[in-house]
Amino acid sequence: MIRRGWMAALLAVGGVSMAAVGAQQSPTPATVPVPGLRKVHDTLYVMGGGDPRASKEFSGGNTSIFIAERGVVLVDTKFAGWGRAILDKVKSVTDKPVIAIINTHTHFDHAGSNAEFPASVHFVAHENTKKYMMQTSCPPVTTCLTGENAKYLPKQTFKDKLTLYSGKDQVDLYYFGPGHTNGDTFVVFPALRTIQTGDMFQVKWLPFIDDKNGGTSLHFGDTLRKVVAGVKNVDTVVTGHGAEMTWNDLREHAEILSDFADVGRAGRKAGRTPDERAKSYKLPAKYMKSGYDIAADRAQANFEMLYRELQ
């Protein structure tokens, strides 16, 4: 597996400049604190990853531990170097083995430790995510599994929907279209009325979008609207980073990003530059108290991408 500088992860979420990306290794349990577990339900725990903007605490994306009857299902595996720490957290709540790992997408802070688990584990992801993981010329922030590490590629993929297991252990995987990448999986635990979004809902901010792996600023909000319309009976949202949120937070996120795209379309039609659009962009009035972060550099990057897509 290719190890990339952890500063690139901060670059990915708008934290630092490219000049700061050097030879530093991804954060490991030896360099940042090991986060504790948050109990979401009796059979679902989340090992947090910290705020991507806080480099001294950041360990990658949220990792879920779902304790099914036959064994443990993990969702995402953080940066490289976190496999043992994740297994230790699993052992703190159950004696059952890890039987499956679902990757919400290919980024190195969500799939970085795949190769630190037994190759016998059943790896699952969207078909496009597997394609991105197979790249030999690996884009920044991507987990690429080639050569000896190809055995850790997803063993099972899907196109639109896949159901794993049944009854109270059922896990539904959905793909609704491009957004953060073009292989983002939404993981639903029906019995727990819970969804895990990966970085399609990172935290309450304008998102980093990876167009090198199929992401889109133009259609991100449209894809989230399909999630809101297509998934039923969910109360709790496990985001890509940060604390759990509500279904209404996810719905709000979809509307904000849809509005962002509408503003970009109108701005381009009116001859406004991405920089002008970013400087004047404001949240719709009804969301002003939502705690949303619309940092100017992220707004500009996403407007620039949206303009390119409109061309």
Side-chain angles (χ1 to χ4, degrees):
M1 181 185 304
I2 296 176
R3 280 202 175 198
R4 300 185 179 276
W6 68 268
M7 291 293 283
L10 299 185
L11 169 70
V13 292
V16 297
S17 68
M18 179 63 81
V21 180
Q24 302 166 45
Q25 295 296 304
S26 301
T28 68
T31 59
V32 298
V34 176
L37 291 181
R38 303 192 297 264
K39 183 178 180 179
V40 180
H41 294 282
D42 288 343
T43 57
L44 183 65
Y45 295 80
V46 174
M47 182 180 180
D51 190 325
R53 295 163 293 190
S55 61
K56 294 182 179 180
E57 301 176 359
F58 185 45
S59 63
N62 284 329
T63 295
S64 282
I65 300 169
F66 178 55
I67 307 172
E69 191 66 33
R70 68 194 70 193
V72 172
V73 178
L74 298 178
V75 182
D76 288 342
T77 63
K78 303 187 181 299
F79 286 111
W82 282 88
R84 173 48 55 190
I86 293 171
L87 285 171
D88 287 344
K89 291 300 180 183
V90 171
K91 290 178 181 178
S92 74
V93 292
T94 181
D95 293 329
K96 294 180 179 180
V98 174
I99 59 171
I101 292 176
I102 301 164
N103 290 129
T104 59
H105 60 294
T106 187
H107 284 165
F108 72 156
D109 58 329
H110 290 261
S113 288
N114 278 22
E116 297 165 32
F117 291 84
S120 58
V121 168
H122 190 63
F123 292 92
V124 186
H126 187 261
E127 60 186 17
N128 289 344
T129 291
K130 181 175 182 177
K131 178 182 70 175
Y132 299 141
M133 287 180 169
M134 295 174 68
Q135 296 174 97
T136 54
S137 179
C138 199
V141 308
T142 304
T143 299
C144 294
L145 298 165
T146 58
E148 293 183 0
N149 286 324
K151 60 188 175 184
Y152 300 102
L153 286 166
K155 296 180 175 68
Q156 185 174 14
T157 63
F158 69 101
K159 184 176 179 64
D160 297 309
K161 183 182 178 183
L162 173 67
T163 294
L164 303 174
Y165 317 122
S166 60
K168 64 181 181 180
D169 290 345
Q170 181 172 326
V171 182
D172 292 328
L173 309 184
Y174 294 88
Y175 166 81
F176 286 97
H180 179 59
T181 68
N182 192 18
D184 301 295
T185 292
F186 292 83
V187 183
V188 178
F189 305 99
L192 308 182
R193 299 178 67 90
T194 297
I195 188 171
Q196 185 155 349
T197 64
D199 280 354
M200 285 296 290
F201 189 7
Q202 298 160 25
V203 292
K204 284 192 172 184
W205 60 10
L206 292 181
F208 160 62
I209 302 169
D210 180 6
D211 58 343
K212 298 295 188 297
N213 285 310
T216 168
S217 179
L218 184 62
H219 299 296
F220 203 128
D222 295 337
T223 296
L224 286 173
R225 280 178 163 173
K226 293 176 185 177
V227 177
V228 172
V231 177
K232 307 298 181 184
N233 303 316
V234 167
D235 302 315
T236 303
V237 178
V238 178
T239 57
H241 301 274
E244 286 67 62
M245 296 194 191
T246 68
W247 186 251
N248 190 59
D249 290 322
L250 179 61
R251 181 185 295 111
E252 174 185 271
H253 185 54
E255 293 308 311
I256 287 173
L257 295 188
S258 295
D259 171 81
F260 185 89
D262 290 341
V263 169
R265 289 188 187 95
R268 185 173 183 274
K269 186 175 182 179
R272 307 282 298 279
T273 67
D275 180 63
E276 289 171 334
R277 279 286 63 194
K279 288 179 178 177
S280 64
Y281 178 69
K282 295 182 180 180
L283 286 177
K286 62 182 177 179
Y287 299 123
M288 289 298 289
K289 296 182 179 179
S290 64
Y292 233 81
D293 181 352
I294 56 168
D297 59 342
R298 176 56 55 219
Q300 181 165 343
N302 287 359
F303 276 130
E304 288 174 352
M305 184 182 300
L306 191 149
Y307 276 42
R308 290 195 300 270
E309 292 182 74
L310 287 171
Q311 289 176 355

